[in-house]
Amino acid sequence: MSNPMPTPVLQARGLVKHFGHVVALDGADFELYPGEILAVIGDNGAGKSTLIKALSGALIPDEGTIYLNGTLVRFHNPLDARRMGIETVYQDLAVAPALNIMENIFLGREIRRSGVLGSLFRMLDKKQMMNDTVRYMADLKIGIQSMSQPVGTLSGGQRQGVAVARSAAFAKNVVIMDEPTAALGVKESRMVVELIRQVRERGLPVILISHNMPLVFELADRIHIQRLGRRVAVITPDEYSMADAVAIMTGAKEAEPQLAS
Amino acid sequence: MSDALVHDRSQSGWERIRRNITHFLSLPGVGPTLALLIASIFFATQTDKFLTGRNLSLVVQQVIVVGTLAVGQTLVILTAGIDLSNGMVMALGSVIMTSLAVEFGVPPAIAIIIGLLITTAFGLLNGSLVALVKLPPFIVTLGTLNIAYAVTRIYRTTTISNLPPAITFLGNTFTVGETAITYGSVVMIVVYLVAWFVLRETSWGRHVYAVGDNPEATRLAGISTTRLLISVYGIAGFIYGIAGLLLVARTQVGDPQAGQTANLDSITAVVLGGTSLFGGRGSVLGTLIGALIVGVFRNGLQLMGIPSMYQVLVTGILVILAVSVDQLSHRGQA
Ligand SMILES: Nc1ncnc2c1ncn2[C@@H]1O[C@H](COP(=O)(O)OP(=O)(O)O)[C@@H](O)[C@H]1O
Ligand SMILES: [Mg+2]
């Protein structure tokens, strides 16, 4: 970590967010570098979700700045962030169970037919969307037979796969995943680990919010530790143990000063 | 990943056949179509008069108005809403159209357009209250039901007759073989086909399903659910105006008392057609079948000489059956 770092893909400085008299973010900093998996951990109420919401446009911070590839950006809603290539897999996945896989992947970004069928009659190009869907799912090695299956008929892990495939397909810069294994069993969690690796292999950096320490230590390149609304440390899995991480998280231990910028 | 597939292979032949049959029956529209076929066969065996071109054309005539209203109702129910106001809004539209044309000398075309604008405005009002003020659709449309009813009755209490032919032209017929078909039935079919196409083939249509299925996911996908809902109710209002024009063509009068049970009848057609009251699932062609089921039962029982209260009874039972199926299948999915 001593060699000069490249420009962060996503960076935040001094984020502050109040909810009434609760201070959810108290001058939080954040960096995500190209191609990495950055885990964000912290106790309940440490401000992880609030941080992630600020970075994905789901809420507007009271103070502080956000930079995307070095450029100052302001997100007013999730669509702003999405337009800039930041995709979020929400904890509850935000899929429509009655719609099929293809329709979920392209929800809000449907492809229209070319020519007059598309421009005048507004017809969707289902064939194109179906082909793309098959490719997105294959890219992440998600083996689901039929893309015209309603998402409601899939298992929890498969649904997660659809949500991740959607994000990976459209994210140009960042994929954010909020507690991707919280609702899954052991076997399905393994599948999600693979998915996250696949996303990184495609060159996209991933922000992973998780309570699952073994998962975090297995996957993350760096770990951002959030406490009382601030980043108190950034550690790497090889230099610190899980016990250290938990100790820093709860304030029982201070991190090495060099990394807590 | 392929749990479902592994499962399939381990099943015995019978099990697979049973599953395929269950799957076929659960496809949208299959259940309602079978019900319609069985009812038709039953009535055909009970009375010779049922299966004649003239009688079937009559059945269609009888379902035109409710059938058209039910298209708007389907759009609203797909968004997980409900529209109780549609019958009254239709009545208001038809009274305005006929009154302007007969009593104020407004050219029929203009009178029709004004009527359509008013029903559309009611739809937009419903949609705005649902989407912007976030009131439950049931309450909103219960309110606008009363408003539309009161406005109609304050405006007039008596029937408007002696309508100019230009306003009743949809009641005119053309013949195919021996059977006379009204232009009105053609209009209804066209409304169905357009709605079917738009719901299946356009983004707007898919968003209608999505918002009824999971509004939060739809919003997070960057779709303005507010605008979407307002447009759905507005278009439904426009369709109620068309139903008003069909009503006028069929009855040849403008009737301030019309449409009082049309809201429940249209909901019946939608539900019998297999569209889920929970939103997000269903099809407008199912609704057409649903409207025809109601029409066939009424007509068939009538031909058999069974008193009309029994027809209402049967319709009530059918609705409860259909809603039970919806509830059970929804529980299975969630
Ligand atoms: N919408 C909100 N309204 C009021 N308080 C909130 C809201 N969101 C978060 N908070 C508060 O802000 C603090 C940080 O919450 P959060 O970011 O959800 O923490 P974490 O995700 O780390 O558990 C908590 O005290 C929480 O109660
Ligand atoms: Mg949280």
Side-chain angles (χ1 to χ4, degrees):
Chain A
M1 293 281 148
S2 54
N3 41 343
M5 292 298 247
T7 312
V9 179
L10 197 57
Q11 182 176 34
R13 282 280 160 264
L15 293 182
V16 175
K17 181 73 191 179
H18 295 263
F19 292 108
H21 59 267
V22 177
V23 187
L25 291 179
D26 187 14
D29 295 332
F30 175 89
E31 278 110 32
L32 174 74
Y33 289 101
E36 74 171 345
I37 296 178
L38 175 76
V40 175
I41 64 172
D43 242 344
N44 277 333
K48 303 181 296 292
S49 294
T50 308
L51 172 68
I52 259 39
K53 282 179 184 161
L55 295 174
S56 65
L59 63 74
I60 302 169
D62 302 333
E63 276 171 48
T65 47
I66 298 172
Y67 303 86
L68 181 65
N69 294 316
T71 316
L72 182 70
V73 287
R74 269 177 217 291
F75 304 135
H76 300 286
N77 53 53
L79 194 57
D80 282 350
R82 281 180 42 168
R83 288 210 179 101
M84 300 208 188
I86 300 171
E87 290 283 328
T88 309
V89 180
Y90 295 94
Q91 185 166 350
D92 65 356
L93 299 186
V95 289
L99 300 194
N100 68 33
I101 297 173
M102 171 195 92
E103 291 170 333
N104 267 285
I105 291 211
F106 281 95
L107 186 58
R109 302 187 255 224
E110 293 86 356
I111 302 174
R112 262 194 251 141
R113 291 218 201 175
S114 54
V116 92
L117 285 178
S119 58
L120 185 62
F121 292 102
R122 314 241 133 209
M123 268 182 96
L124 296 174
D125 194 339
K126 292 188 181 174
K127 215 172 130 204
Q128 174 77 51
M129 290 193 285
M130 192 52 96
N131 291 341
D132 288 354
T133 301
V134 170
R135 205 181 65 236
Y136 298 150
M137 298 294 272
D139 277 355
L140 296 175
K141 307 200 164 57
I142 305 169
I144 297 175
Q145 267 238 311
S146 160
M147 299 304 155
S148 44
Q149 215 171 320
V151 165
T153 64
L154 302 177
S155 72
Q158 290 173 325
R159 282 188 213 198
Q160 187 82 44
V162 172
V164 173
R166 171 172 63 187
S167 300
F170 295 99
K172 285 186 293 293
N173 290 307
V174 181
V175 174
I176 301 174
M177 297 196 210
D178 197 357
E179 298 283 1
T181 59
L184 301 180
V186 178
K187 209 175 123 207
E188 300 209 301
S189 296
R190 294 312 308 164
M191 219 185 78
V192 171
V193 169
E194 274 319 303
L195 276 176
I196 296 172
R197 288 219 172 98
Q198 299 285 351
V199 172
R200 178 180 48 187
E201 252 155 58
R202 302 190 39 207
L204 281 170
V206 176
I207 304 172
L208 170 69
I209 301 101
S210 183
H211 273 107
N212 184 336
M213 283 294 159
L215 176 93
V216 164
F217 271 72
E218 180 183 351
L219 273 174
D221 298 304
R222 298 187 310 134
I223 302 169
H224 165 132
I225 304 180
Q226 182 85 9
R227 184 174 139 70
L228 302 175
R230 292 162 177 263
R231 177 176 70 181
V232 291
V234 179
I235 62 172
T236 59
D238 359 318
E239 292 167 23
Y240 285 80
S241 68
M242 284 189 215
D244 292 335
V246 173
I248 299 171
M249 222 172 87
T250 54
K253 182 182 165 173
E254 294 284 314
E256 306 283 320
Q258 87 211 34
L259 289 163
S261 59
Chain B
M1 289 302 317
S2 48
D3 280 359
L5 295 175
V6 177
H7 222 76
D8 259 346
R9 254 177 253 126
S10 67
Q11 274 166 358
S12 70
W14 276 116
E15 182 67 6
R16 199 171 317 147
I17 291 171
R18 196 191 60 80
R19 254 177 63 118
N20 283 343
I21 291 176
T22 323
H23 176 68
F24 176 71
L25 288 178
S26 70
L27 288 176
V30 170
T33 308
L34 280 180
L36 180 60
L37 278 178
I38 293 169
S40 303
I41 292 168
F42 173 74
F43 288 121
T45 61
Q46 295 300 307
T47 156
D48 295 339
K49 289 182 227 130
F50 180 75
L51 216 56
T52 59
R54 164 191 273 249
N55 185 54
L56 294 183
S57 167
L58 180 67
V59 171
V60 173
Q61 287 314 303
Q62 286 166 341
V63 304
I64 284 179
V65 172
V66 166
T68 304
L69 281 177
V71 176
Q73 188 71 261
T74 309
L75 293 177
V76 170
I77 289 180
L78 281 175
T79 69
I82 193 110
D83 193 342
L84 299 179
S85 72
N86 61 1
M88 290 299 115
V89 169
M90 167 184 76
L92 176 61
S94 63
V95 165
I96 298 281
M97 288 175 193
T98 49
S99 154
L100 287 180
V102 173
E103 294 165 340
F104 294 90
V106 176
I110 307 286
I112 290 170
I113 290 171
I114 293 174
L116 288 171
L117 285 177
I118 285 174
T119 60
T120 308
F122 259 91
L124 292 173
L125 174 65
N126 283 335
S128 304
L129 290 170
V130 169
L132 295 173
V133 192
K134 311 212 182 303
L135 301 175
F138 185 90
I139 302 299
V140 167
T141 58
L142 188 60
T144 49
L145 175 162
N146 283 294
I147 294 170
Y149 180 61
V151 169
T152 309
R153 297 299 302 265
I154 290 166
Y155 182 67
R156 69 177 291 150
T157 50
T158 52
T159 304
I160 304 148
S161 46
N162 299 319
L163 305 182
I167 227 165
T168 58
F169 68 98
L170 292 177
N172 298 348
T173 57
F174 60 96
T175 51
V176 176
E178 307 265 284
T179 309
I181 295 170
T182 62
Y183 290 103
S185 21
V186 177
V187 168
M188 177 187 76
I189 299 295
V190 169
V191 172
Y192 269 97
L193 289 178
V194 170
W196 176 78
F197 173 84
V198 170
L199 282 173
R200 268 180 69 95
E201 298 296 333
T202 72
S203 304
W204 185 85
R206 299 325 295 169
H207 296 173
V208 169
Y209 281 84
V211 80
D213 193 24
N214 188 344
E216 182 62 7
T218 310
R219 192 185 66 79
L220 288 171
I223 295 161
S224 165
T225 52
T226 308
R227 230 184 318 162
L228 180 63
L229 285 175
I230 294 176
S231 69
V232 165
Y233 281 87
I235 289 169
F238 180 77
I239 294 173
Y240 305 151
I242 296 177
L245 188 59
L246 294 172
L247 175 73
V248 168
R250 182 164 156 65
T251 58
Q252 303 284 319
V253 291
D255 180 4
Q257 309 267 23
Q260 305 215 6
T261 62
N263 54 358
L264 296 184
D265 291 342
S266 69
I267 294 168
T268 302
V270 174
V271 169
L272 286 181
T275 291
S276 170
L277 288 173
F278 300 99
R281 286 160 226 258
S283 99
V284 79
L285 292 190
T287 300
L288 179 58
I289 307 285
L292 288 173
I293 290 175
V294 177
V296 161
F297 266 94
R298 294 234 165 117
N299 173 270
L301 294 172
Q302 211 167 359
L303 290 181
M304 287 170 67
I306 291 171
S308 67
M309 265 311 129
Y310 287 92
Q311 300 161 27
V312 180
L313 182 73
V314 169
T315 315
I317 293 170
L318 285 176
V319 169
I320 289 180
L321 277 178
V323 175
S324 307
V325 170
D326 177 24
Q327 171 73 41
L328 290 174
S329 64
H330 192 263
R331 210 180 287 159
Q333 285 262 356

